[in-house]
Amino acid sequence: MFDTLSVIGSGMHVHQTWLDAISDNVANINTVNPYDQPAFQARYVVAQALEDGGTGDGVAVSGITYGSAEGRLTYDPSNPSANEDGYVRMPDVDLSEQMTDMIMAQRGFQANASNLDRVKSTYEAAIQMGKS
Amino acid sequence: MGAITGIAAGALDQVSKAYAQWFGTSGTSSTSSSSAVNGSSFASLLSNGLTSLESSNAAAQTAAVGAATGDLTQVQDYVIAASKAQMATSLTTTLRNKALDAFTEIMRMSL
């Protein structure tokens, strides 16, 4: 019963997972790895719509994909992790792209939350109709 | 008198069909549950509805315990479970009141 609330909850869950992934990417934006190790790989959330032949059953996280392991080769000889040529691996994470993704995830979450308010008041209006 | 009880039974028929559709108690489509509708089936539907109401309340309790102990990873799970339990309780109470009103109205009729 009240399946719409579960659908909205799944939407909020996916957007919160997206926010978690973005926060992890931004937290590790300066994580330097030595040349012979893979760089920090950005996380991307893969969402999948759940179908039930009718109006749909919401959305679910079907997996996490990782960005490039090559990273950006940066010349920084003063870094203790640098190899003999002076190169280290910085993560291939673009801060502006992560920030715009963060805004999209936040607005998506807020859209789901306001939808939840409206659906709840709709159900309550129907129940109120029977009270009098 | 027979016609009036027939009308009342028809009204209870509608209510029980709607109730079964809402709670999905029969587990099959609502058309199959309408095949055997009399006063006793409405009582069984009401008891099934109360069982599912109890399960939704139990889910809300579990989410509340998780929120209090810090195990709850998704904050909206608790709010949604509590909203579902509250609305299911309100709906069951309203249906019970309506059925009771109809019953007392009929019993108040003088023979």
Side-chain angles (χ1 to χ4, degrees), chain A residues 6 13 123 127 130-132, chain B residues 74 76 83-84 87 90 98:
Chain A
S6 304
H13 171 77
Y123 282 137
I127 294 173
K131 275 202 190 323
S132 59
Chain B
Q74 301 290 326
Q76 70 275 1
S83 302
K84 280 189 182 180
M87 281 196 289
S90 177
K98 286 294 173 191

Side-chain angles (χ1 to χ4, degrees), chain A residues 9-20:
Chain A
S10 72
M12 291 166 104
H13 171 77
V14 166
H15 280 90
Q16 185 168 337
T17 308
W18 192 12
L19 270 175
D20 292 343

Side-chain angles (χ1 to χ4, degrees), chain A residues 1-3 5-6 8-9 12-13 16-17 109 116 120 123-124 127 130-132, chain B residues 22-23 73-77 79-80 83-88 90-91 93-94 98:
Chain A
M1 192 155 116
F2 303 124
D3 290 336
L5 294 182
S6 304
I8 297 174
M12 291 166 104
H13 171 77
Q16 185 168 337
T17 308
F109 191 91
L116 179 71
K120 227 175 62 163
Y123 282 137
E124 279 168 3
I127 294 173
K131 275 202 190 323
S132 59
Chain B
W22 264 108
F23 277 103
T73 53
Q74 301 290 326
V75 176
Q76 70 275 1
D77 279 351
V79 178
I80 288 176
S83 302
K84 280 189 182 180
Q86 184 248 325
M87 281 196 289
S90 177
L91 179 62
T93 310
T94 306
K98 286 294 173 191

Side-chain angles (χ1 to χ4, degrees), chain A residues 21-33 39-42 72 74 89-99 102:
Chain A
I22 293 169
S23 307
D24 185 66
N25 291 343
V26 171
N28 281 301
I29 201 160
N30 283 323
T31 303
V32 166
N33 280 345
F40 171 77
Q41 296 168 282
R72 289 183 293 119
T74 313
R89 287 196 193 271
M90 295 280 284
D92 191 13
V93 172
D94 183 14
L95 187 59
S96 54
E97 177 190 329
Q98 295 295 320
M99 281 304 182
M102 190 184 297

